Amino acid sequence: MQFKISVRDKESKARAGEFRTDHGTVKTPVFMPVGTAGAVKALHIPELEKDTRAQIILGNTYHLYLRPGLEVIEAAGGLHKFNGWNGPILTDSGGYQVYSLAHKRKLTEEGVVFQSHIDGSRHNFTPERVIDIQRIIGADIIMAFDECTPYPCDYDYAKKSLKITHDWLDRCIKHFGASEAKYGYQQYLFPIVQGSVYKDLRRESAEFIAAKNAAGNAIGGLSVGEPIEMMVKMTEEVCNILPENKPRYLMGVGTPENLLESIALGVDMFDCVMPTRNARHGMLFTSEGIINIKNEKWKNDFSPLDENGHSFVDRFYSKAYLRHLIVSGEMTGAMIASLHNLRFYTWLMEEAREKIIAGDFRHWKDSQVKKISRRI
RNA sequence: GGGGAGAUACCGAAGCGGUCAAACGGGGCAGACUGUAAAUCUGUUGGCUCAGCCUUCGGAGGUUCGAAUCCUCCUCUCCCCA
């Protein structure tokens, strides 16, 4: 995978670039909507494409493996054919589920035995198996199998876990090299830096991963509850070590503010459930700040959702109407809010890119952060 | 006209002598959410000068040390029969 950096910001580590996959080119910085089970919740594929202007979306190995299962996905001809999304897809390896389903799994050096959250059945994930599954799903970018360590996490555990993640990475790389894409287009493997909140472990991990010369590199194990300053510090440490000429992917981040600050540290790719999940729960990220549309104060506010927003729903619907839908539990409310939030995120990334290219990123970022992170 | 059942907080509904400002739902209000076990979860929901006090269980009296709970009358609702 070639990563072309068009412009480097002079006042920060931000860069504007693009990388190519067989399903299309992705311009960075980029936000990737999360479509765990092969669908970005509450949105149609055409809406994702045309209305949110997402460039690339996520799927999840663990979820898709459990349901609908590999037979169905393989019979469909891969996830792209199955769900109709023709752009690039990235699949998470299930490493996050090692963390989020911690009480339903058993981790060994060999791999992880999961108990399905759906029916309790047991399943064995190894680095090799996870690569195979992602080959079958047919994601353009597949993630190495890792352990996303929890927070807090003591040093000894983080160190042991890191060793396992690194061993698993070597096995992933080996198996990836020994296996082939199933559907005639190229797949790329991204390794993941771990190390919890320990600077030396993060550095060690970043160096270990940098040496693999992968198509792109990810930073995992952050935004799991640690203070934001720690997240920023770790991101910064790692970005300074990861290859400059490869895309850097900060997994699971985050708030609009987190995104802009991370771009300034040299991150190119993001994903997060926040814009979609919080949309369903009534939280809207707007050009004027964050609003909880469920609050009583919007009950009779017939002004547009976001006067200066960049999605058609922003001026098509009023705050009072969306409040009514969300409060009433109407599915349409979740759809409108999700579309709005995702478009806000993609717009933010487009704008960041333009500002980097225009040489005005730092200034824009600082004023933007203040504006969009306040509560209204 | 005769017989029966019932009136509890915003709504529904428990409670049937003290541990009741009153269970539980719903609704309301607010909060959380960061590689999605999440269209989920949490808190709160009579008032106040708030570790205490005041006013509340249809209304008015009464019994009792003590009443949402027992008695009397009244008002209103619902059901059955005529």
Side-chain angles (χ1 to χ4, degrees):
Chain A
M1 176 194 286
Q2 212 192 351
F3 182 54
K4 206 166 72 191
I5 297 177
S6 327
V7 177
R8 288 178 176 77
D9 186 42
K10 289 181 184 69
E11 299 171 315
S12 74
K13 301 273 176 60
R15 47 282 183 88
E18 61 180 62
F19 62 84
R20 192 170 305 221
T21 74
D22 290 343
H23 283 96
T25 298
V26 174
K27 292 183 173 174
T28 66
V30 65
F31 178 80
M32 310 180 282
V34 178
T36 306
V40 174
K41 292 186 198 299
L43 293 178
H44 283 295
I45 295 294
E47 286 178 326
L48 268 177
E49 254 174 58
K50 297 188 184 77
D51 299 329
T52 78
R53 300 203 209 168
Q55 302 185 70
I56 167 171
I57 63 172
L58 257 69
N60 187 285
T61 299
Y62 166 83
H63 293 265
L64 291 167
Y65 158 84
L66 286 182
R67 222 167 33 187
L70 301 179
E71 281 183 19
V72 171
I73 292 186
E74 191 163 17
L79 185 57
H80 293 86
K81 292 246 173 70
F82 189 46
N83 72 4
W85 170 263
N86 286 314
I89 294 177
L90 180 152
T91 40
D92 183 34
S93 61
Y96 187 75
Q97 280 64 45
V98 177
Y99 152 78
S100 69
L101 300 174
H103 60 293
K104 284 186 176 290
R105 53 78 166 161
K106 193 178 170 199
L107 187 150
T108 65
E109 283 173 23
E110 176 55 26
V112 179
V113 173
F114 279 107
Q115 234 180 313
S116 160
H117 68 281
I118 300 164
D119 63 4
S121 54
R122 285 176 171 76
H123 304 271
N124 194 322
F125 272 26
T126 61
E128 292 79 13
R129 181 75 176 127
V130 161
I131 294 296
D132 287 339
I133 296 170
Q134 293 183 94
R135 287 290 199 195
I136 292 168
I137 293 170
D140 299 86
I141 298 173
I142 73 185
M143 301 305 299
F145 194 44
D146 65 332
E147 182 191 7
C148 176
T149 49
Y151 181 84
C153 174
D154 67 63
Y155 185 85
D156 288 346
Y157 186 88
K159 195 176 169 71
K160 266 183 215 155
S161 169
L162 184 60
K163 167 83 164 59
I164 290 176
T165 287
H166 286 174
D167 288 349
W168 286 358
L169 173 61
D170 283 334
R171 286 164 60 189
C172 280
I173 291 172
K174 191 176 169 197
H175 196 72
F176 180 74
S179 58
E180 284 184 359
K182 298 185 75 73
Y183 308 111
Y185 51 84
Q186 187 101 24
Q187 293 181 291
Y188 303 97
L189 175 67
F190 280 27
I192 304 170
V193 173
Q194 288 291 344
S196 188
V197 294
Y198 304 105
K199 196 167 147 185
D200 65 314
L201 296 183
R202 282 283 170 184
R203 288 185 141 171
E204 180 193 330
S205 185
E207 275 157 17
F208 182 86
I209 265 111
K212 304 300 176 187
N213 197 30
N217 299 292
I219 307 165
L222 294 176
S223 66
V224 288
E226 76 284 3
I228 297 302
E229 312 82 70
M230 277 187 181
M231 180 178 108
V232 171
K233 186 84 196 115
M234 293 301 123
T235 303
E236 188 173 18
E237 286 295 335
V238 169
C239 281
N240 288 340
I241 295 168
L242 289 179
E244 215 269 333
N245 60 343
K246 301 284 174 63
R248 303 188 186 113
Y249 165 27
L250 181 55
M251 306 183 78
V253 172
T255 64
E257 180 181 356
N258 293 160
L259 263 56
L260 294 186
E261 297 297 358
S262 301
I263 289 170
L265 300 175
V267 176
D268 308 293
M269 303 163 66
F270 304 91
D271 80 282
C272 190
V273 303
M274 191 172 275
T276 43
R277 177 186 291 166
N278 287 24
R280 294 193 300 279
H281 299 166
M283 184 187 272
L284 265 49
F285 299 97
T286 79
S287 57
E288 298 304 315
I290 299 169
I291 74 180
N292 182 345
I293 200 67
K294 291 194 289 190
N295 286 176
E296 191 172 25
K297 60 183 166 187
W298 310 117
K299 193 171 185 175
N300 286 296
D301 188 329
F302 303 101
S303 65
L305 285 186
D306 186 357
E307 186 67 66
N308 303 308
H310 295 77
S311 161
F312 82 90
V313 297
D314 292 347
R315 259 154 275 103
F316 196 95
Y317 298 108
S318 69
K319 295 186 181 78
Y321 181 61
L322 182 59
R323 173 181 194 272
H324 158 66
L325 294 180
I326 298 270
V327 165
S328 307
E330 287 291 326
M331 289 183 277
T332 309
M335 294 162 68
I336 293 168
S338 298
L339 204 155
H340 162 82
N341 273 355
L342 277 183
R343 179 58 191 138
F344 177 75
Y345 268 62
T346 59
W347 166 79
L348 195 65
M349 295 299 94
E350 288 168 10
E351 196 70 358
R353 187 171 203 276
E354 272 182 36
K355 296 297 179 186
I356 293 166
I357 291 169
D360 192 29
F361 175 72
R362 181 70 174 275
H363 172 76
W364 171 82
K365 187 258 295 175
D366 289 341
S367 67
Q368 201 64 24
V369 161
K370 265 186 213 150
K371 208 172 151 189
I372 63 182
S373 60
R374 71 186 173 196
R375 307 266 173 157
I376 52 175

